[in-house]
Amino acid sequence: MKNSYNVKSKLALLVVIFFTYFGFSQGNDQEQIKKLYDAALTQGKGYDWLNYLSNQIGGRLSGSIQAQQAVNYTKSQLDSLGLDKVWLQPVMVPKWVRGTPEFAYFETTPGVTTNMAICALGGSVATPPKGIKANIIEVDGIEELATLGKDKIQGKIVFFNKPMDPTQINTFNAYSNCVDQRYSGALEASKYGALGVIVRSMNLRLDDFPHTGSMGYGEQSVDDRIPAAAISTNAADLLSTSLKLNPEINFYFKQNCKQFEDVESYNVIGEIRGSSKPEEIILVGGHLDSWDLGDGSHDDGAGCVQSMEVLNLFKKTGYTPKRTIRVVLFMNEENGLRGGTKYAEVAEASNEKHIFALESDSGGFTPRGFTFDSSDKDFDKIKSWKPLFEPYLVHYFEKGGSGADIGPLKKDGLVLAGLRPDSQRYFDYHHAENDTFEHVNKRELELGSASMASLIYLVDTYGF
């Protein structure tokens, strides 16, 4: 009995030492986190905010009227929360306009054509006014261009048809492994004399929605730039099959997009000032701009309203943070990252001390966990909080990337993090016409907000 008592005593002491070392009181934290989840699921405002952004404003391409309307709306909503400070941070952003709807077809024999679902890639130049019609050649990624050489590519349209890898459980890995053909395909194909490029949409599902996204020409002169567009996955499969039957197929596409001079826009910022350590800033955010084809509900309206909701949940539960909690809705993540870059520049010039930044930019789906860009020591502390999330089925705590907009803040001692929802459906909607409000589940969105608020609560309470 004595030995058993001693073992139990030692175990109890170890538990006390563990929680003392990692710096948290499980009972109090469980209670506060439950309050945050309960408030999100019963009193949350995020779904209504997203409804307005999506259905009353719509797609919010940087430099557009809709982007400015979103700035005005989200600022007014942050003002209504009774925060300590709300302001707009000016930033110059690119203004690219799609113009009239694009049109494309392939021609198997003269006069026999099949229309294709197509959209211009963001930042692309226009085709000539009458469009481009030429023989088309299929490649499985940028690397194949060098194998084919200029003799086989010059004067043709290049069709990049490298698909996302369906065996990747993390669909963002599948995206990363083939998105180079979308971003750099036109620049690389032009070096071999191509007239234009068509890219298979970054989408794991077979459907008829073409997915846009940013592309770039680097330092290439305007005269050497060739137009680039995406076709749907169904269209890509049909075109690929048809080319195998008839390699002499001609492809036609027309688009009249245009790049204008930069215009002024804004990051939208609000904060609750810390009660005892106001100089230490904890940031939560998403990007307010979106592509123009849908209404940007998942990418990234969801991340914006979840970030706003974090501050609302603290207000609802009566939690007074020690540190300053700041929400930032960044402008121009999709085609320039100007908002994230500007915010980091101003923070550096103002000698602001950020200790933690969390971004939500992976859709409004069921939260699974977070990834962290941090030191091993800080990550060990973060992992000690994992049991507090497991009752909410949030279990994925791994080192990895964080978010594009908070990336420019990176420096030693700053922990960056990204919310990681279930990713299986994300690329069904990413940058496409069907990224709309009806595809966001209210409960999933709210659970994400609560998970973010809970993590920020723990960081605020215990720091690093």
Side-chain angles (χ1 to χ4, degrees):
M1 290 294 291
K2 186 176 181 180
N3 288 339
S4 176
Y5 175 80
N6 287 338
V7 170
K8 289 180 180 179
S9 297
K10 289 177 180 178
L11 286 173
L13 180 61
L14 285 173
V15 169
V16 171
I17 292 171
F18 176 82
F19 286 116
T20 301
Y21 175 77
F22 286 114
F24 72 89
S25 172
Q26 192 173 38
N28 292 339
D29 296 333
Q30 286 174 334
E31 181 180 352
Q32 178 59 33
I33 288 172
K34 187 175 191 313
K35 286 181 181 178
L36 292 169
Y37 273 90
D38 288 351
L41 294 167
T42 60
Q43 303 177 67
K45 294 186 176 184
Y47 194 67
D48 290 336
W49 286 332
L50 185 61
N51 184 11
Y52 191 95
L53 276 176
S54 300
N55 293 319
Q56 300 303 314
I57 296 176
R60 305 170 297 279
L61 192 56
S62 69
S64 68
I65 292 173
Q66 291 82 1
Q68 184 58 47
Q69 290 173 336
V71 167
N72 296 339
Y73 173 70
T74 51
K75 182 180 183 298
S76 71
Q77 295 308 301
L78 290 176
D79 282 330
S80 73
L81 297 180
L83 306 181
D84 293 315
K85 186 178 178 182
V86 178
W87 72 101
L88 300 181
Q89 184 178 76
V91 56
M92 298 301 292
V93 300
K95 181 179 177 65
W96 177 84
V97 176
R98 182 175 302 279
T100 55
E102 303 86 342
F103 178 71
Y105 63 78
F106 69 84
E107 184 180 65
T108 49
T109 57
V112 179
T113 62
T114 301
N115 290 353
M116 299 262 97
I118 191 171
C119 67
L121 294 179
S124 174
V125 297
T127 60
K130 293 184 179 180
I132 293 175
K133 184 178 180 180
N135 188 232
I136 188 164
I137 184 168
E138 179 179 352
V139 298
D140 182 30
I142 287 176
E143 297 78 10
E144 195 174 338
L145 295 175
T147 303
L148 292 171
K150 195 168 186 177
D151 290 344
K152 294 185 178 180
I153 294 174
Q154 189 166 21
K156 296 180 180 178
I157 295 170
V158 172
F159 168 36
F160 289 99
N161 193 34
K162 184 178 182 179
M164 291 178 65
D165 181 359
T167 67
Q168 292 279 354
I169 303 304
N170 183 338
T171 61
F172 284 89
N173 290 341
Y175 176 76
S176 298
N177 289 339
C178 62
V179 73
D180 61 335
Q181 63 188 346
R182 188 196 75 198
Y183 188 81
S184 304
L187 173 63
E188 297 304 320
S190 67
K191 297 175 182 178
Y192 297 90
L195 299 180
V197 300
I198 303 299
V199 182
R200 181 189 185 92
S201 285
M202 304 293 105
N203 181 11
L204 282 160
R205 186 173 68 175
L206 291 175
D207 61 28
D208 295 314
F209 294 104
H211 295 229
T212 191
S214 62
M215 56 84 63
Y217 295 104
E219 300 300 318
Q220 191 176 46
S221 69
V222 174
D223 292 340
D224 292 332
R225 296 176 181 182
I226 61 175
I231 58 175
S232 70
T233 48
N234 275 340
D237 282 355
L238 176 60
L239 181 58
S240 180
T241 300
S242 300
L243 280 168
K244 289 178 175 62
L245 296 172
N246 179 8
E248 301 305 315
I249 283 175
N250 283 321
F251 192 91
Y252 170 86
F253 74 112
K254 182 178 184 297
Q255 58 191 41
N256 63 351
C257 38
K258 185 175 180 180
Q259 188 77 48
F260 292 88
E261 294 293 321
D262 290 355
V263 299
E264 186 175 63
S265 189
Y266 305 91
N267 293 327
V268 184
I269 308 173
E271 68 181 26
I272 301 173
R273 188 166 175 81
S275 60
S276 59
K277 297 183 177 182
E279 74 284 357
E280 294 187 4
I281 299 169
I282 296 172
L283 184 154
V284 59
H287 65 86
L288 192 53
D289 64 303
S290 76
W291 287 107
D292 55 324
L293 295 180
D295 58 44
S297 286
H298 276 298
D299 188 19
D300 184 30
C304 287
V305 300
Q306 286 175 326
S307 299
M308 295 165 66
E309 190 78 280
V310 169
L311 276 67
N312 182 46
L313 293 178
F314 286 167
K315 288 284 189 178
K316 291 289 186 185
T317 59
Y319 176 70
T320 301
K322 298 178 182 179
R323 297 166 170 87
T324 295
I325 312 298
R326 181 179 292 175
V327 60
V328 183
L329 310 182
F330 298 95
M331 183 57 68
N332 183 233
E333 185 272 347
E334 292 291 6
N335 58 338
L337 205 66
R338 302 281 186 87
T341 302
K342 171 59 72 173
Y343 180 85
E345 289 174 355
V346 173
E348 180 72 20
S350 303
N351 292 316
E352 290 185 333
K353 182 181 179 181
H354 289 75
I355 68 162
F356 182 69
L358 170 62
E359 185 166 347
S360 173
D361 186 19
S362 300
F365 303 101
T366 302
R368 299 300 188 199
F370 305 91
T371 52
F372 299 90
D373 184 353
S374 70
S375 68
D376 289 340
K377 179 182 177 182
D378 289 336
F379 186 56
D380 285 342
K381 186 169 193 176
I382 291 164
K383 283 193 297 184
S384 75
W385 302 334
K386 184 178 174 182
L388 293 166
F389 289 87
E390 289 176 348
Y392 305 96
L393 305 182
V394 173
H395 61 275
Y396 184 81
F397 281 58
E398 300 290 340
K399 292 191 72 172
S402 54
D405 282 302
I406 60 176
L409 283 169
K410 185 173 181 178
K411 62 172 62 175
D412 290 343
L414 172 61
V415 177
L416 304 178
L419 176 68
R420 292 294 172 253
D422 186 285
S423 71
Q424 303 314 311
R425 291 170 288 156
Y426 182 66
F427 290 98
D428 295 355
Y429 310 109
H430 185 246
H431 297 175
E433 184 182 348
N434 61 337
D435 183 6
T436 52
F437 180 70
E438 66 191 39
H439 294 121
V440 176
N441 178 276
K442 181 175 182 289
R443 187 171 178 83
E444 291 180 327
L445 183 75
E446 292 165 346
L447 289 169
S449 302
S451 301
M452 293 164 66
S454 299
L455 180 61
I456 288 175
Y457 155 73
L458 290 167
V459 173
D460 177 57
T461 303
Y462 304 111
F464 295 109

